[in-house]
Amino acid sequence: MDMAAKKTGVVRCSIVPPYLLEALTQQPDDHVAQLAQHSLEHDHHLRQLRTATPPRTFSTSDHPVAHQAGAPAPHVDDGHTPQRTIADAHGKETTPGTTVRREGQGATGDPAADEAYDGFGQTWSLYHDVFGRDSLDNRGLPLLGTVHYGTDYDNAFWDGTQMVFGDGDGRVFTRFTIAVDVIGHELTHGVTEFTAALTYQGQPGALNESLSDVFGSLVKQRALGQTAEQADWLIGAGLFLPSVHGVALRSMKAPGTAYDDPQLGKDPQPATMAGYVQTADDNGGVHLNSGIPNHAFYLAAIGIGGHAWEGAGRVWYDVLTGGHVPQDCDFATFAAATVAAAEQRFAASSPQAQAVRDAWTQVGVSLTSGSAGGPSGSAGGGRPAPGPVTSPAVLLVRRTGGLAGLRQERTVALDDLPGADADHWRELLHEGVLDRLAAEPEPHAVPDSYVYTVAYPADGDEVAVPEHGIPEAVRTLFQRTLEA
């Protein structure tokens, strides 16, 4: 039973791909391995918050700590400045923390807080000054951020309401505020949420990630005054500490070359559809396959020349915000939309429009919707069903998804479980409880939630149930079984 749901609503997106953190958990430095494992498993707290934090759909300055006794009144939005509030989590895994800087206030002296504040401003400036957009929602949405999140936390993410930054482990990663393109990347997830709302799964999910890389890179290029030829096209340059053999998390110019390190392995991103990765992990490989549209944008920007935010950037922004693509948009549909936008902006026979056409051709994406030269649509592929279990007293439990895109599975003999758990499993299986749960109308998709799959030899089939469709007692049983 295919329970893959169309992703809507809040999407919590993180800058460090799960495959990279997974590699860190296997390296010999126990400290770094433990911190990476903690970052991967930290989604438990975030998943508990997922249904309580709907996306903001109106302009507001209602930051939970934005008005404290004796503090200056919040800055009034005049439409010409960003509305920034930076808070400090003080090493706790809670948000927002204590407000340390508001719009118009001077530097705090804390590099993380001040980098976040400045990065918010540079991102706001790109969207406002170049594209005429009034913040993420085009209605003056305040930009909220929390720094010093967790202890040695190896990630940064957009939670649908604000940005959150970890400080890094100090051995592989430094603080995540150091890279302005990372800040632009995460805030662009907010822009996408308020515009195209691309499903965070498979090809639309990879496009979602790619758009964040595109505009994150443009934030950096504009801040540095670089042309497309001068830019390094790296995402997250400066995040790795000197011990790492790598230059960044990703390369738009040459996907697959950002790092090659004994601890991390080799950058696995493909540059063309010939290398498209079909997987059920990481929401259908959204951080892997984003390398393909990333490379197409790079090629288009180089072909057009000049400042990328004035050329290819305007075309991609037109598509993102113009209602030209569906939420489940595949690569081919998006490519065709960018060509149409380039023809409208620059004329059909213009060299700019031809540069966009050529870019998609070079990465192997057809300009005919649904004909991407490889897997298309939002499914992004999946793993084959597990083989039959070896005994009626044995079952396989698999959990996929979550914030970090983890896959965890365990084959277990019921007799090896504690008596109460074994009895609970027998009740679920023999009385058909799981089948009934799977047969219920599909609930509203919750991004970053898990899907549990159980294979049992009674009928030879798998039963897949989304986490938010499972009663708490059943979900707890699944978790205990996987973690035993």
Side-chain angles (χ1 to χ4, degrees):
M1 178 177 179
D2 183 9
M3 298 296 291
K6 182 177 181 180
K7 304 292 183 178
T8 57
V10 178
V11 176
R12 291 184 173 85
C13 310
S14 55
I15 189 69
V16 178
Y19 56 78
L20 199 157
L21 286 174
E22 289 273 17
L24 283 177
T25 66
Q26 305 302 316
Q27 63 92 35
D29 188 318
D30 289 341
H31 178 71
V32 173
Q34 290 172 3
L35 291 174
Q37 185 64 37
H38 175 72
S39 293
L40 284 170
E41 294 176 348
H42 175 62
D43 69 304
H44 175 70
H45 170 69
L46 298 175
R47 286 186 290 110
Q48 288 182 324
L49 298 178
R50 69 187 185 276
T51 57
T53 312
R56 293 179 297 161
T57 57
F58 54 89
S59 299
T60 178
S61 59
D62 60 349
H63 192 289
V65 292
H67 185 62
Q68 300 170 337
H75 184 81
V76 177
D77 183 10
D78 60 5
H80 301 290
T81 61
Q83 302 303 299
R84 293 167 284 185
T85 302
I86 308 299
D88 186 340
H90 301 291
K92 297 180 180 179
E93 293 179 353
T94 57
T95 58
T98 304
T99 295
V100 294
R101 189 173 180 184
R102 297 184 179 84
E103 186 61 39
Q105 293 182 334
T108 67
D110 174 0
D114 294 333
E115 286 165 352
Y117 183 91
D118 292 342
F120 280 14
Q122 290 165 321
T123 303
W124 182 92
S125 178
L126 173 77
Y127 281 110
H128 182 272
D129 299 347
V130 175
F131 305 122
R133 186 173 189 83
D134 186 8
S135 192
L136 309 186
D137 64 346
N138 204 24
R139 298 175 61 191
L141 190 77
L143 304 179
L144 314 177
T146 293
V147 298
H148 303 307
Y149 179 84
T151 301
D152 300 332
Y153 185 63
D154 274 341
N155 222 335
F157 59 89
W158 164 261
D159 73 355
T161 299
Q162 67 166 77
M163 266 215 68
V164 180
F165 301 93
D167 288 326
D169 53 47
R171 300 186 185 186
V172 175
F173 291 110
T174 187
R175 63 184 182 275
F176 281 76
T177 55
I178 202 169
V180 70
D181 53 342
V182 169
I183 298 173
H185 173 108
E186 296 302 340
L187 290 179
T188 296
H189 278 305
V191 176
T192 300
E193 189 175 290
F194 284 109
T195 54
L198 291 166
T199 303
Y200 200 66
Q201 173 72 29
Q203 287 193 15
L207 287 169
N208 193 318
E209 277 298 319
S210 177
L211 284 163
S212 280
D213 279 352
V214 162
F215 289 99
S217 182
L218 294 184
V219 169
K220 180 173 76 171
Q221 291 177 35
R222 185 167 181 264
L224 296 174
Q226 295 174 331
T227 64
E229 288 285 353
Q230 293 168 333
D232 61 18
W233 294 98
L234 297 174
I235 303 299
L239 281 179
F240 287 142
L241 291 169
S243 62
V244 177
H245 299 162
V247 292
L249 297 178
R250 293 182 286 279
S251 170
M252 299 177 69
K253 180 178 182 178
T257 68
Y259 56 87
D260 190 353
D261 183 79
Q263 300 180 63
L264 306 179
K266 189 178 186 305
D267 176 5
Q269 271 206 321
T272 71
M273 289 301 296
Y276 187 95
V277 181
Q278 189 160 332
T279 178
D281 292 337
D282 190 23
N283 295 293
V286 297
H287 289 97
L288 291 171
N289 294 315
S290 61
I292 298 167
N294 272 4
H295 194 51
F297 181 84
Y298 160 78
L299 292 170
I302 292 295
I304 293 173
H307 294 123
W309 62 87
E310 294 288 354
R314 289 190 181 276
V315 173
W316 260 242
Y317 181 79
D318 289 346
V319 173
L320 173 62
T321 61
H324 301 296
V325 295
Q327 289 183 317
D328 61 351
C329 182
D330 63 12
F331 289 176
T333 301
F334 190 86
T338 61
V339 171
E343 291 175 347
Q344 182 174 0
R345 178 170 284 277
F346 299 111
S349 60
S350 66
Q352 294 94 334
Q354 189 60 47
V356 175
R357 292 189 203 97
D358 291 345
W360 289 109
T361 299
Q362 288 181 66
V363 301
V365 174
S366 167
L367 297 178
T368 302
S369 179
S371 304
S376 63
S378 63
R383 294 181 182 272
V389 289
T390 58
S391 163
V394 175
L395 55 87
L396 180 146
V397 183
R398 182 167 69 247
R399 184 182 70 185
T400 59
L403 175 68
L406 290 176
R407 174 187 172 93
Q408 182 179 6
E409 68 177 39
R410 183 184 180 210
T411 300
V412 60
L414 293 183
D415 289 342
D416 291 339
L417 294 174
D421 284 355
D423 290 343
H424 195 174
W425 270 115
R426 292 188 177 97
E427 177 186 349
L428 292 175
L429 296 166
H430 294 303
E431 296 185 10
V433 175
L434 290 182
D435 290 320
R436 291 197 297 273
L437 287 172
E440 290 178 355
E442 189 173 290
H444 176 68
V446 178
D448 296 325
S449 69
Y450 285 117
V451 173
Y452 287 93
T453 301
V454 179
Y456 188 69
D459 55 13
D461 292 332
E462 291 187 345
V463 177
V465 188
E467 179 185 37
H468 51 286
I470 304 175
E472 183 178 358
V474 177
R475 185 171 65 250
T476 301
L477 172 68
F478 285 4
Q479 292 170 347
R480 284 202 304 270
T481 302
L482 284 168
E483 296 168 2

